[in-house]
Amino acid sequence: MAREGSGRAGCSRRAGARGGGPWRPPTWEVSDSDGEGPAGAEAGATACGPVEERRAAAEERRAVAEALRPEQALRRVAVRVDAALLEDAGADILLEALRALGCEYHVEPQRPARSLRWTRAKPDPCPRTVPSEVWAADEQDVLLLLEPEEFLQGIQQLTQTRGPSCSVPWICPESSTSPRLAVIGLDAYLWSHQPNSQEMRQPESTSVARAAVALSWPKVEEALVLLQLWAHLDVLLVASWQELSQHVCAFTKALAQRPFRRYRESRAFSFCVAGHRAASERVASDGTGLRGIWWRQIRQFHRVSPTVAHAIVTAFPSPRLLQQAYRSCSTEQERLALLADLPVKMGEGVRPRRVGPDLSRRICLFLTTTNPELLLDLGS
């Protein structure tokens, strides 16, 4: 009792010290030690858990972005050049272009000879959220350079002995992959080997000359189509080493960006980035949250209550499903009235209502019209 009385007296003295104002009940403050113990520790772990998960997810996204960045990806691509190509004077143009691009290149013997091969290394450390198939190398990243004479001899053999027993000269039977072909200066070679009237009266001396005479540009184009459709071989025709170097650099850049494209295509919803918000709705990479955005989009129409939007989203969980329903309608009036009779639950003891023809018409026009100046709300 004495303790309680002294407490009241202390309150009266404090009230008097404040100038005789109205008495206020004492307020209780929770100290830092009140959260200690099992209950406080559990609450703290619950509060810190989502924060740590978001921080770890953000760090993982930064690691993925850094690993897939074009500058970093280009440094992990190496072009392996066959040593036999250095015998050509124009090979210096190719090596200088690769050096200016910023990727590695190695001069070493390759099979087949006079070929270029691309290899790509995985980042270290490799992000855990990126599937392993994203970094898979493509065995068909081989470019075989041919001289015009060799190419003409090969396509002449192909066109003369076409059939089930015919074999493509540049494909190894033991290999399951086929390289792409590149021919430098074929146009100039054909023009320089066109026979004049005197040479046409003289018999050809070599098989190479016969190949050059027999294969004109229409025959070459026919052979190119045959190689692509029957042998699945792509042929690159370039006029100079400078043009070939531009193609090699462009292909190297595309190869460096291939892991990013594969990673984007491997996700269920590649257009959604986990952690980003749209209309205050969190959208995950698996599509969770898109239905809430569809609900908010319907709520943006004038005079649309939450229950009406919920009824529409329940019947058509996505805009694509509603558009498919519109396309299945046979007449325009059927499309405009598709949502009119949709029931809306108002609660217990309340008579249910419908979406109505006005909102049904506005949503239909919003999803089907091609006129950007069309006024949806006639009452506005």
Side-chain angles (χ1 to χ4, degrees), residues 178-189:
S178 58
R180 291 184 297 273
L181 306 181
V183 185
I184 303 177
L186 179 62
D187 192 6
Y189 178 84

Side-chain angles (χ1 to χ4, degrees), residues 164-213:
S165 60
C166 178
S167 61
V168 182
W170 309 288
I171 297 180
C172 181
E174 293 81 8
S175 177
S176 59
T177 61
S178 58
R180 291 184 297 273
L181 306 181
V183 185
I184 303 177
L186 179 62
D187 192 6
Y189 178 84
L190 289 177
W191 279 107
S192 63
H193 286 74
Q194 279 187 349
N196 52 33
S197 57
Q198 182 179 1
E199 292 176 347
M200 292 183 63
R201 291 191 296 268
Q202 298 177 356
E204 293 85 354
S205 58
T206 63
S207 59
V208 176
R210 287 196 298 270
V213 171

Side-chain angles (χ1 to χ4, degrees), residues 89-99 240-243 245 249:
D92 295 338
I93 301 177
L94 175 62
L95 298 182
E96 183 64 28
L98 293 176
R99 192 179 302 111
S240 62
W241 277 90
Q242 182 70 31
E243 188 176 348
S245 302
C249 292

Side-chain angles (χ1 to χ4, degrees), residues 291-292 294-296 298 308-318 342:
R291 183 167 177 171
W294 172 226
W295 179 86
R296 291 178 180 273
I298 297 177
V308 173
H310 179 73
I312 298 175
V313 171
T314 302
F316 301 96
S318 68
L342 202 64

Side-chain angles (χ1 to χ4, degrees), residues 47-112:
C48 295
V51 176
E52 295 296 334
E53 291 178 0
R54 288 195 297 269
R55 184 180 294 110
E59 293 177 356
E60 185 68 21
R61 286 194 299 270
R62 283 195 295 268
V64 171
E66 181 67 20
L68 299 178
R69 200 154 51 94
E71 297 82 3
Q72 296 293 336
L74 190 59
R75 295 190 184 100
R76 291 191 296 270
V77 175
V79 184
R80 306 190 179 276
V81 184
D82 185 46
L85 292 177
L86 299 183
E87 300 176 0
D88 198 305
D92 295 338
I93 301 177
L94 175 62
L95 298 182
E96 183 64 28
L98 293 176
R99 192 179 302 111
L101 183 62
C103 68
E104 294 185 5
Y105 68 91
H106 305 277
V107 179
E108 55 189 17
Q110 299 292 327
R111 293 192 62 183

Side-chain angles (χ1 to χ4, degrees), residues 126-327:
C126 185
R128 300 186 305 272
T129 57
V130 179
S132 58
E133 57 268 14
V134 170
W135 311 107
D138 197 343
E139 296 181 356
Q140 296 183 356
D141 296 334
V142 179
L143 182 65
L144 176 61
L145 273 65
L146 300 176
E147 295 291 342
E149 301 92 333
E150 182 183 2
F151 177 70
L152 291 176
Q153 290 179 359
I155 62 176
Q156 187 179 32
Q157 174 186 351
L158 185 65
T159 54
Q160 289 178 353
T161 60
R162 183 172 52 187
S165 60
C166 178
S167 61
V168 182
W170 309 288
I171 297 180
C172 181
E174 293 81 8
S175 177
S176 59
T177 61
S178 58
R180 291 184 297 273
L181 306 181
V183 185
I184 303 177
L186 179 62
D187 192 6
Y189 178 84
L190 289 177
W191 279 107
S192 63
H193 286 74
Q194 279 187 349
N196 52 33
S197 57
Q198 182 179 1
E199 292 176 347
M200 292 183 63
R201 291 191 296 268
Q202 298 177 356
E204 293 85 354
S205 58
T206 63
S207 59
V208 176
R210 287 196 298 270
V213 171
L215 290 178
S216 58
W217 257 119
K219 291 292 184 179
V220 172
E221 293 176 351
E222 179 182 354
L224 292 177
V225 175
L226 179 63
L227 285 173
Q228 187 173 20
L229 298 181
W230 182 68
H232 306 287
L233 275 179
D234 294 330
V235 182
L236 173 67
L237 302 179
V238 293
S240 62
W241 277 90
Q242 182 70 31
E243 188 176 348
L244 176 67
S245 302
Q246 294 175 359
H247 171 80
V248 170
C249 292
F251 181 80
T252 305
K253 290 181 180 179
L255 184 64
Q257 297 174 359
R258 186 179 296 175
F260 173 73
R261 294 195 300 268
R262 288 177 176 174
Y263 173 70
R264 185 175 57 186
E265 294 171 358
S266 65
R267 304 172 63 189
F269 294 89
S270 58
F271 51 86
C272 293
V273 180
H276 287 205
R277 292 175 179 263
S280 300
E281 187 77 23
R282 177 174 291 275
V283 179
S285 58
D286 60 351
T288 304
L290 291 176
R291 183 167 177 171
I293 295 178
W294 172 226
W295 179 86
R296 291 178 180 273
Q297 187 176 17
I298 297 177
R299 284 275 290 140
Q300 292 178 357
F301 287 92
H302 291 173
R303 302 181 303 277
V304 176
S305 63
T307 54
V308 173
H310 179 73
I312 298 175
V313 171
T314 302
F316 301 96
S318 68
R320 184 183 294 268
L321 295 177
L322 185 54
Q323 287 177 333
Q324 292 175 356
Y326 283 139
R327 285 194 293 267

